Amino acid sequence: MNPFRLGLLRAAIELRQVLRSRKDFYSYLSTPLIFLAVAYWRAGGDKGQTTQLVPAGGVGSTIFMFGLMTVPQFLFGDREDGTLLRLRGVPGAMTAYLTGKTLFVLATMIASIAVLLLGGTALLGVGLPSSPTQWLTLCWVLLLGIAAVVPIGAAIGALLPAREALALYLMPVMGLIFVSGTFSPLRNLPTWLQDVASAFPLRWIAQGVRSALLPDAAKSYEPNGSWQHLATLGALTAWVLLGFLLAPRLLRRMAARESGSRLSEREQKRLTKAAY
Amino acid sequence: MTTTVRESAAADGGVHDLAVRTTGLRMRYGQRDVLDGLDLEIRRGELFGLLGPNGAGKSTTIEILEGYRRRSAGEVEVLGQDPERDDPSWRARIGIVLQSSRDHGRWRVGELLDHFAGYYAEPFDPAELLRTVGLSAQADQQTAKLSGGQRRRLDVAMGIIGRPELLFLDEPTTGFDPEARRDFHELIRGLRDVGGMTIVLTTHDMTEAQQLSDRIGILQAGRLTAVGTLDELAAAARARSEVRWTDHDGSPRRQLTADPSHAVWELHQQYGGPIPGLEVRRPTLEDTYLGMVSADLAESTANATATATATAIRTETP
């Protein structure tokens, strides 16, 4: 069978696994629900501009978290348990795996974003774009944002040497979520922190999403009083290019380095640790 | 010119009876040669057992043959192709069963085998194969919930689902109980006898190697030190059979001999008839193997001592 069709099949099977397991289902659902809860709580009675920030920040954070936290964890887990090694010995299976994982991540991401946007509309009256132009903006920002973080996430997953490194890596990524203007206006932060955040994709994804969801007047809260679409396009495109340049090389290198004896070694270590 | 072509075609005919051929295979990690010019030939349709002490290079050899590891030097042909090329049509003819696996833990057994059948042009029927390995009852179970032996059998099923011409089995029965081991051996023999599969097996278990293998290769310090059938190996190692009997006074007697038949004939003459408590034990693979490995160790130690002494003498003489 065609490896891309097998990839589609893998995505369908893995999505079904999530739907079958209550624990998984709720853990995927929890991310958008937490963002909605925060938004609702901050809204209190009045629906100020800061309240409106939260669902938009939630969309940006969801993309960022899936791409840079979930994807590396998937890849890391599949390397640790021998899934990738198994697939390497099967014709066409690596292509199917990458196709399947991409589709799986896209589906779960889009589902989370949909919950967030529809929930925001229902609870707070903010959430969906209000004009065709804004819809268009939402589409390109989401597409570009996803393409900017998923390959980078895969590259990082291929580089992470051990479980400890994964934990260590996740901390600064979490930190970035709080300094990227997702939950409070970026201009309230010191300039140097704004500059740091601007080097990473989340700040741009979040700003782009705000420009698609909030009324035009809200742009006065942005660092220089405009939506900066051109800068967003530029920054995200640069990340997309970097990701597509790095990810295939690093994935190939990772696959080439895997072998049965490496796997057994790790397994041995895991069992020794578990014994203590 | 024409002659050359014909000659090479004729030579090819011979080569194609081989599933695996390595010449001068070398693998170097840093300063250490893990494989030191390995020459190995595995014939089509045979079950070849690769034995050797830990660190002798078994896993490295298998991984090079599987196309999982790049060699440092030497020639390797697996099913007529260099495994480093690793193209899909070649992959489809190879089956691999790794030592330890817990991959696809959340997939259901039947679903997983069905899915893997999809990668091959002429796979076995997954449901039938599941029956063959005795996992039909577990088809709807998650693979993570299988017992160790059941998981191994699933691994074998996944290794052969694509009807490979050549199957690599790395330490397949580690952690099996005797009954599971016996069933497993029957399954493996069936693959060779009915399916005509070439099987390369590495194991620590001498009894297993002896029961399953058509030919056995012994790998020591990165070289193949012996290769052949069990009898050939025993002969090469000058492993001796043991003849036991009971003497007139009831005491047990024991004799080690390279020619047990002759020894028994002599005993018959001596006793002028039946020999009480006669027992002839042929050398097992374990005897042969231990004989070879320890003899080699003794020899290399002796060599090292001799060299050291020679060096010492040379340094002393001005």
Side-chain angles (χ1 to χ4, degrees), chain A residues 1 10 16 24 86 261, chain B residues 63 104 106 108 111 118 155:
Chain A
M1 217 191 283
R10 287 188 73 89
R16 202 167 60 204
D24 268 26
R86 156 98 57 207
S261 44
Chain B
E63 283 170 7
H104 292 89
R106 310 194 47 198
R108 296 176 182 205
E111 172 184 77
D155 283 337

Side-chain angles (χ1 to χ4, degrees), chain B residues 89-137:
Chain B
S89 61
W90 176 81
R91 270 270 164 250
R93 297 160 66 204
I94 307 266
I96 295 173
V97 179
L98 294 167
Q99 266 185 46
S100 48
S101 47
R102 50 187 183 92
D103 60 291
H104 292 89
R106 310 194 47 198
W107 290 54
R108 296 176 182 205
V109 173
E111 172 184 77
L112 185 60
L113 206 55
D114 278 344
H115 177 73
F116 273 82
Y119 290 95
Y120 299 93
E122 283 172 51
F124 284 115
D125 177 54
E128 217 166 278
L129 185 55
L130 219 49
R131 202 165 28 247
T132 313
V133 297
L135 287 176
S136 295

Side-chain angles (χ1 to χ4, degrees), chain A residues 75 94 98 102 147 150-159 239-257:
Chain A
L75 214 58
M94 272 298 182
L98 288 177
T102 310
V150 171
I152 290 286
I156 289 166
L159 279 177
W239 278 99
V240 172
L241 292 178
L242 186 69
F244 279 95
L245 197 75
L246 287 179
R249 282 157 214 264
L250 290 173
L251 287 173
R252 254 202 303 275
R253 191 188 75 131
M254 176 191 73
R257 287 174 57 179

Side-chain angles (χ1 to χ4, degrees), chain B residues 2-178:
Chain B
T2 331
T3 352
T4 324
V5 171
R6 206 169 293 141
E7 267 171 18
S8 71
D12 259 9
V15 168
H16 282 171
D17 292 336
L18 294 177
V20 171
R21 188 175 61 147
T22 78
T23 16
L25 175 59
R26 233 165 248 288
M27 189 71 206
R28 173 170 279 260
Y29 293 120
Q31 290 297 304
R32 209 165 73 87
D33 274 324
V34 175
L35 294 180
D36 184 18
L38 179 72
D39 297 323
L40 175 67
E41 290 191 343
I42 296 172
R43 298 171 194 151
R44 275 185 193 261
E46 78 176 342
L47 211 158
F48 189 88
L50 191 61
L51 302 181
N54 278 334
K58 284 187 309 241
S59 292
T60 306
T61 307
I62 294 289
E63 283 170 7
I64 290 171
L65 299 181
E66 289 167 343
Y68 278 174
R69 220 175 250 279
R70 287 181 170 272
R71 60 187 182 271
S72 309
E75 266 179 59
V76 179
E77 244 179 54
V78 176
L79 298 180
Q81 195 176 312
D82 186 338
E84 279 184 18
R85 271 177 58 196
D86 195 1
D87 64 63
S89 61
W90 176 81
R91 270 270 164 250
R93 297 160 66 204
I94 307 266
I96 295 173
V97 179
L98 294 167
Q99 266 185 46
S100 48
S101 47
R102 50 187 183 92
D103 60 291
H104 292 89
R106 310 194 47 198
W107 290 54
R108 296 176 182 205
V109 173
E111 172 184 77
L112 185 60
L113 206 55
D114 278 344
H115 177 73
F116 273 82
Y119 290 95
Y120 299 93
E122 283 172 51
F124 284 115
D125 177 54
E128 217 166 278
L129 185 55
L130 219 49
R131 202 165 28 247
T132 313
V133 297
L135 287 176
S136 295
Q138 282 76 27
D140 286 328
Q141 214 167 303
Q142 280 194 355
T143 65
K145 299 215 170 89
L146 295 177
S147 75
Q150 290 171 337
R151 174 72 221 211
R152 271 334 253 149
R153 278 181 277 153
L154 175 62
D155 283 337
V156 174
M158 284 170 78
I160 62 176
I161 182 77
R163 241 183 254 271
E165 291 167 44
L166 172 62
L167 177 68
F168 292 102
L169 287 172
D170 204 1
E171 312 269 350
T173 57
T174 318
F176 273 35
D177 61 46

Side-chain angles (χ1 to χ4, degrees), chain B residues 246-298:
Chain B
T246 316
D247 210 351
H248 298 297
D249 58 2
S251 61
R253 296 287 304 272
R254 175 172 171 268
Q255 187 189 342
L256 289 172
T257 167
D259 191 352
S261 171
H262 187 79
V264 170
W265 183 68
E266 277 182 343
L267 278 173
H268 272 289
Q269 290 187 318
Q270 201 180 311
Y271 280 79
I275 310 153
L278 177 70
E279 203 180 314
V280 178
R281 201 176 136 257
R282 305 277 295 170
T284 62
L285 178 58
E286 187 161 0
D287 299 331
T288 309
Y289 174 79
L290 289 177
M292 281 186 168
V293 173
S294 52
D296 187 75
L297 268 179

